[in-house]
Structures are given as structure tokens and as C-alpha cells.
Amino acid sequence: MVRATEIPLADILPLTAGVTDAGHLTLGGCDAVELAGEFGTPLYVFDEETLRGQCRAFQEAFQSRYHNSIVAYAAKAYLGRAMAGIIAQEGMSLDVVSGGELAVAASVGFPAERIHFHGNNKSEHELREALDYGIARIVVDNFHELHLLNGIAQGRGLRQKILLRLSPGIDPHTHAKTTTGTLENKFGIPMPTGQAEAAVRQALDMPGVELVGLHVHLGSPVFELEPYAEAVDTVLEFASRMRKAYGFEMAEFSPGGGFAVAYTPDQHAPEPAVYAETVTSTLRESLWRHELPAPQLIVEPGRSIVARSAVALYTVGSSKEVPGVMRFVSVDGGIADNVRPAMYEARYSALVANRVHDERRETVTVAGKYCESGDVLMTDAELPPLEAGDILAMPAAGAYALAMASNYNLSLRPPVVLVKDGQAKLMRRRETYEDLTRADIWPLE
Ligand SMILES: Cc1ncc(COP(=O)(O)O)c(C=O)c1O
């Protein structure tokens, strides 16, 4: 077995990646080509060591610098029952954004006191479910939700602890579709317009909610550190004004998630410790400057916990040569299991799992199998000449791929396996044709 550092794309593959004498990629000690044969493709392979390692790296990075920190995994990046179970075992909190994510977490008994509920249009039903489960915090996004929640909680004789999600008007310099902290964005209560102040004032007067903290999330992925420093200071300055004006004590503060990962070898994302150093040192300085007591710090990484741990495996099928123009190679997945390239020009790289060391190169466009011209996973990818039957491995596939997967063209969503020490355990089976018709009704009653 070749060491991980000696294989192509080592920096973006899971930590346990290796190569067999036959030139096959291995993940968690399992031969990727054999996994593809056993479970079929497309297949998502999660490496347990990389996943748990990131959970620990983030907790260690923040808690060693600022003791009163909690790390809440942002479930929207990827959630299934096994994932929720692993996050619970790692002692982390969970940030959910829907009744569905809450239900999956509840199905493995995820501790309610470690769940936070986000979202810009939570339904009354979802808020009731959250209160039924007794979740720790609701991060209120807008005035409508504030009044709705106050009414529901009051009706139950409860006082629900909340954070207010604020929109600070800070640009994190990422893709427009994944920017959330600017004023032209649907999330959060704007700060520069005076609306955030009004929300604090109203929340403090409401009997059904207890305002314990403030939250911002700038966008994702945020490669720069400066936007976090700016966000921390902006919120603390606001908290100090709210303290003087209304006696508001900010017991909890969250600068959200959005920490970047590398998807291609030319990208370089800061380590968890570098983000943690920026956030905690700015927090300390701002607390001192604004004469505020130290709050609990809540960070919400999603992508950076889970992206690198997974590799998507596809089988190469047809190809199309347009002489002098380009060569398309199609694989058996695409936008139905990973919409990111089509949705926001996300870039990936890949290697051939059945001949990792093949150094011959050609430039190809890797297309999916779905009926959309935009169903392209990689444009101008430099890969060994691909042949039908090759297994293409796409690293850094753990975040926002399966989470946004669909049944487009009535395809079956892929299986997910967890690998460790040469063993592969199924986390989710491939969907079946029966799954496609389970919720459909015919004949109509
Ligand atoms: C409020 C909030 N927290 C955390 C996250 C997680 O972001 P990421 O997966 O980039 O860490 C998001 C992503 O949309 C979010 O909206």
C-alpha cells in the first residue's frame, strides 16, 4: 500500500486514502473498486477517521482557545441517521433547519438540549415540533417568526430561549448564491437599518421568548478571515449598545459557520485553528473594548466537518468526441446526486480509482447522465484517457451533494457507506423503484 501523501489529490482525499499494488484507490482500508462492485455506483464513501477527526479538530480548536465554546454541526451539509448518531457521539451540538432534519435527529435520540433550529420561514407546525422536542434554542430570523413563536410558547406557558439572527451587511466575498450576510439577502434582521434594534426591543418585552443571544452567518465557503473579524466586532458593538439602551445581556453569540474547504488541489482553506484564532482573539478584544461580559461562543461548521470525508464513485459510460472542439465523458451520476456544479459553478477534481498512477492526461468534460445540458460535473478536467467501465473518484463530495440530491429523471438516490479499518458499513441503501412509487397514488380515490 502506498502512503496517502504519495497519491494524486492527497490533500483533498480523506486522510486514510491509499493505493493498492494493483493501482486501486483505497479509502479506510477498503479497495474503492471493490466497493463500487459490491454496492454499485454512484456510491458515496465516507471515511470515519476523517469525519471524526474534523469533529474533534473543530472542537479542540475553539475550546482550547475559548473554553466556553460549542460546535454545532450544520446538518444541512449532510444528514442521515448514522451521521446524526456520529455527531451525537462526538459530543457536538446540531443545527437543524427543518422539521425533517429535526425528525432524523430525533430518530436517533439526539439530545434536545444540543439542538438549535435555524431557517428563514419556519412554519408554525415546525415551531410546534421544535417545542414538543424541547430543543435548546430557536434562532429567530424575522419579525413574523418572533411573533409566531411568542404566541405558541405563551399558549403553552413556556418561555423559549432564542437567539436573533442578524444581517450585518458584510460581504464575505463568496458566490452570490451562497452569500448570506449582505443586506440584499433573505436571511436575518438587518442591522444598519435599525430593524435589529427594534427586534431586540420587541423580543425583550415578549413573555413567550427569552432573548439569550445574537447570531450572524456571512455565507459559505468563506476563505478569508477578515469578514469573521468584522462580523464579531460589528455584533459586539451592537450588543454593547443594546445593553446600555435596554439592559440586554448577550449570554450567547454565534458567528455562524461557512468555513472553507479545498475541492481542488489549487484551493487552500485555512485550518480550523486559524479560523478559531481569528474568531476568539477578535471576540476577546471586542469584549474588552465594549466592556461586555464573555458570552458562550457557538460556531456552526457544516461543509468543513463533512466535505473531505467523502468520495463519490461513478462508473464511466459513453463518451462523445467533437473533433477539434471537446470530448465529453459521461458517468452514471450527475446533478441528481450533486447539483453544486450546475447550481453555483462549484469545481471538483477527480482521479481514476482503478488506475490511480496513470499519468497520461487528456482534457475532458465529465458529464452526468441526466436530461439537462447543464448536467456537467467537471469542465476541462485533466484526467487519464477514460474508458467505459473506469471508476471515477471525486473527492471532497461530503457536503451539499447528497444533502441536495433529488430523484430527477426518477433516478434512485445513491447508497452511502462508512469505511474504517478495511470494513465498509452501509449508512443508507440505494433507493429502489418501490421507493419511487411509495408516496404516489393510482388509481385516484
Ligand atoms: C445559519 C447557518 N449556519 C451554518 C451554516 C453552515 O455553513 P457551512 O456548511 O458552510 O459551514 C449555514 C449554511 O448555509 C447557515 O445558514
Side-chain angles (χ1 to χ4, degrees):
M1 181 106 58
V2 176
R3 282 166 45 81
T5 49
E6 292 161 19
I7 64 176
L9 308 184
D11 290 346
I12 57 172
L13 278 164
L15 301 174
T16 63
V19 187
T20 65
D21 293 341
H24 289 187
L25 174 69
T26 64
L27 301 164
C30 297
D31 184 320
V33 181
E34 286 174 14
L35 291 175
E38 184 180 348
F39 297 98
T41 55
L43 173 68
Y44 278 71
V45 183
F46 279 73
D47 177 52
E48 188 167 348
E49 191 178 317
T50 308
L51 176 58
R52 290 191 188 268
Q54 278 305 90
C55 294
R56 291 169 197 174
F58 265 96
Q59 293 190 92
E60 209 273 327
F62 279 91
Q63 287 161 0
S64 65
R65 289 173 173 80
Y66 190 90
H67 182 67
N68 191 10
S69 301
I70 62 171
V71 180
Y73 169 63
K76 71 199 73 158
Y78 171 66
L79 194 70
R81 299 187 71 212
M83 185 69 192
I86 289 170
I87 295 297
Q89 284 175 350
E90 290 298 323
M92 293 165 79
S93 293
L94 191 70
D95 141 14
V96 299
V97 290
S98 69
E101 288 183 358
L102 178 58
V104 170
S107 79
V108 299
F110 202 101
E113 66 278 8
R114 287 199 258 143
I115 301 183
H116 296 201
F117 199 160
H118 274 280
N120 70 302
N121 192 20
K122 304 174 189 79
S123 68
E124 180 172 344
H125 193 68
E126 286 174 320
L127 290 173
R128 288 189 187 281
E129 286 169 347
L131 296 195
D132 288 344
Y133 199 59
I135 71 163
R137 303 286 179 268
I138 294 185
V139 184
V140 171
D141 184 275
N142 52 66
F143 289 96
H144 167 76
E145 182 187 339
L146 186 58
H147 289 272
L148 189 59
L149 177 61
N150 179 45
I152 298 169
Q154 250 188 302
R156 296 182 178 201
L158 287 176
R159 202 144 186 248
Q160 174 63 42
K161 289 194 161 100
I162 64 162
L163 280 79
L164 284 178
R165 176 164 180 175
L166 307 179
S167 171
I170 294 172
D171 187 350
H173 306 128
T174 187
H175 193 281
K177 285 188 185 155
T178 54
T179 293
T180 57
T182 58
L183 292 185
E184 305 81 10
N185 192 278
K186 72 172 182 173
F187 294 104
I189 305 170
M191 297 176 76
T193 57
Q195 287 157 292
E197 175 165 353
V200 168
R201 214 174 47 233
Q202 289 182 26
L204 289 173
D205 278 346
M206 288 179 171
V209 299
E210 181 185 348
L211 177 60
V212 296
L214 300 176
H215 175 284
V216 287
H217 172 76
L218 301 175
S220 171
V222 182
F223 281 87
E224 297 170 19
L225 301 169
E226 182 53 33
Y228 286 102
E230 195 182 339
V232 170
D233 195 56
T234 304
V235 175
L236 264 70
E237 190 274 330
F238 176 76
S240 157
R241 275 203 294 118
M242 295 305 99
R243 189 178 196 218
K244 286 176 192 142
Y246 311 110
F248 164 61
E249 296 294 347
M250 186 179 69
E252 298 175 15
F253 164 63
S254 177
F259 312 116
V261 296
Y263 287 94
T264 54
D266 58 315
Q267 291 179 328
H268 301 284
E271 292 293 322
V274 176
Y275 284 117
E277 186 57 37
T278 302
V279 169
T280 59
S281 62
T282 318
L283 180 56
R284 277 213 184 76
E285 276 167 41
S286 298
L287 287 171
W288 178 80
R289 192 145 24 87
H290 300 297
E291 298 178 349
L292 286 169
Q296 179 174 66
L297 173 65
I298 305 161
V299 287
E300 300 166 343
R303 180 192 313 276
S304 49
I305 294 289
V306 81
R308 187 175 175 182
S309 65
V311 175
L313 299 179
Y314 301 101
T315 302
V316 172
S318 64
S319 56
K320 171 178 165 174
E321 182 89 42
V322 189
V325 181
M326 63 197 299
R327 179 165 185 243
F328 284 101
V329 173
S330 295
V331 295
D332 54 359
I335 48 170
D337 63 274
N338 189 348
V339 75
R340 295 186 66 253
M343 192 167 162
Y344 30 68
E345 292 103 39
R347 290 195 300 129
Y348 285 93
S349 21
L351 68 168
V352 185
N354 48 306
R355 40 194 174 92
V356 167
H357 291 307
D358 191 339
E359 285 179 0
R360 292 169 305 141
R361 287 283 180 265
E362 68 168 16
T363 306
V364 289
T365 290
V366 178
K369 65 171 287 173
Y370 302 104
C371 289
E372 294 290 327
S373 301
D375 178 22
V376 165
L377 286 171
M378 277 172 281
T379 311
D380 295 335
E382 296 285 323
L383 285 163
L386 294 170
E387 291 158 20
D390 278 337
I391 304 296
L392 199 67
M394 216 170 78
Y400 300 101
L402 290 175
M404 290 199 257
S406 74
N407 291 116
Y408 183 54
N409 290 169
L410 294 186
S411 57
L412 306 175
R413 279 183 291 171
V416 186
V417 294
L418 186 69
V419 291
K420 189 186 175 199
D421 298 335
Q423 280 205 329
K425 293 186 182 155
L426 198 58
M427 293 164 77
R428 182 181 164 89
R429 64 163 172 80
R430 183 180 304 284
E431 289 181 345
T432 61
Y433 290 145
E434 288 73 47
D435 291 325
L436 295 180
T437 52
R438 185 159 293 151
D440 260 3
I441 296 163
W442 182 260
L444 304 182
E445 283 156 17

